[in-house]
Amino acid sequence: MSSPIIAPSVLSADFANLGRDVEMINSSNADWFHVDIMDGVFVPNISFGFPVTKAISKQAKKPLDVHLMIVQPERYIKDFKEAGADILSVHLEASTHLHRTIYAIKEAGMKAGVAINPHTPISLLKDIIKDADLVCMMSVNPGFGGQKFIEQTYTKCAELKEMILAASSSCLIEIDGGVNEVTAPKLLKAGADVLVAGNYVFASSNPLETIASLKSLNK
Ligand code: DX5
Ligand code: ZN
């Protein structure tokens, strides 16, 4: 038994009080900052880019887990390293030469993640699973916080866990979207290692307690 890695999603923070919310995560039981970058092309929304990521990284006392929801993510690997990313995830659906991109992320000194949309089958990860440090499995269609969790994620998570074990890979399973007190225990049972939580944390009356409750779950 061990505790999951908890990564609150800054997308749901109050951007007019970003420093305050970064401090809240610093002082919480959370492990990482989850930072969502959206380009308005890969997903139907635009979030923020380098200046905001840099500002978060300057104040953050925990690793930055940066999730790129952008087309041709390979163009910006060095820029995100400079902006303070520790883990950089690119979407499989947005990457034509995924191995090349994964190696470039590692060469730049970051952990490399592969994110997959809810409709993307786990089987497509077979030839990358040994090279990826993390798979960010979307349990909602990427683009917005606070969406409804897709129930099929539990089975997909278990399937991915099986693939990772069979390949003797040390890849972590991260679940992104709709994580809360109902979905989190079932996800951990299915093999999840990292829980991203945006709305559940920031819309709660006591974000510190909400983070602590997720961290206290067993995996
Ligand atoms: C969605 C983002 C998520 C989002 C999760 O496109 O990738 O990281 O912030 O938000 P919740 O936890 O509110 O579903
Ligand atoms: Zn995300």
Side-chain angles (χ1 to χ4, degrees), residues 9-207:
S9 172
V10 176
L11 187 66
S12 291
D14 176 357
F15 291 145
N17 289 290
L18 193 51
R20 182 201 65 193
D21 285 355
V22 170
E23 266 325 307
M24 184 280 290
I25 298 175
N26 277 341
S27 65
S28 76
N29 284 339
D31 301 277
W32 298 347
F33 286 77
H34 186 79
V35 178
D36 288 308
I37 308 293
M38 303 176 182
D39 66 354
V41 180
F42 183 70
V43 287
N45 194 10
I46 296 174
S47 56
F48 51 80
F50 304 118
V52 173
T53 306
K54 242 181 221 165
I56 296 169
S57 123
K58 232 173 141 184
Q59 206 185 335
K61 297 198 179 94
K62 299 173 184 188
L64 256 59
D65 168 38
V66 178
H67 175 195
L68 298 185
M69 283 159 276
I70 66 174
V71 296
Q72 294 178 282
E74 63 281 355
R75 290 173 299 166
Y76 296 113
I77 292 170
K78 287 208 174 85
D79 301 88
F80 277 105
K81 172 69 185 168
E82 278 161 27
D86 297 283
I87 304 146
L88 192 64
S89 295
V90 298
H91 266 267
L92 178 145
E93 303 85 1
S95 310
T96 314
H97 304 287
L98 193 50
H99 279 107
R100 182 182 289 153
T101 303
I102 291 292
Y103 286 124
I105 293 172
K106 290 182 175 183
E107 261 162 44
M110 296 172 283
K111 296 274 186 203
V114 176
I116 57 165
N117 282 335
H119 72 277
T120 299
I122 294 301
S123 56
L124 291 184
L125 291 165
K126 189 174 149 283
D127 295 319
I128 198 79
I129 204 68
K130 281 203 168 204
D131 300 291
D133 295 305
L134 174 143
V135 169
C136 173
M137 194 191 285
M138 293 308 304
S139 35
V140 298
N141 281 287
F144 305 91
Q147 300 184 85
K148 195 178 175 302
F149 183 85
I150 298 172
E151 296 285 321
Q152 203 196 339
T153 310
Y154 302 122
T155 345
K156 280 183 81 177
C157 183
E159 201 187 321
L160 176 57
K161 183 72 185 179
E162 223 169 89
M163 180 189 278
I164 289 171
L165 291 174
S168 306
S169 162
S170 54
C171 182
L172 297 174
I173 303 178
E174 173 176 73
I175 307 291
D176 190 4
V179 169
N180 58 32
E181 79 277 15
V182 175
T183 57
K186 297 192 213 171
L187 288 166
L188 295 173
K189 207 168 160 208
D193 303 291
V194 186
L195 301 175
V196 173
N199 193 59
Y200 181 54
V201 166
F202 286 98
S204 79
S205 55
N206 191 335

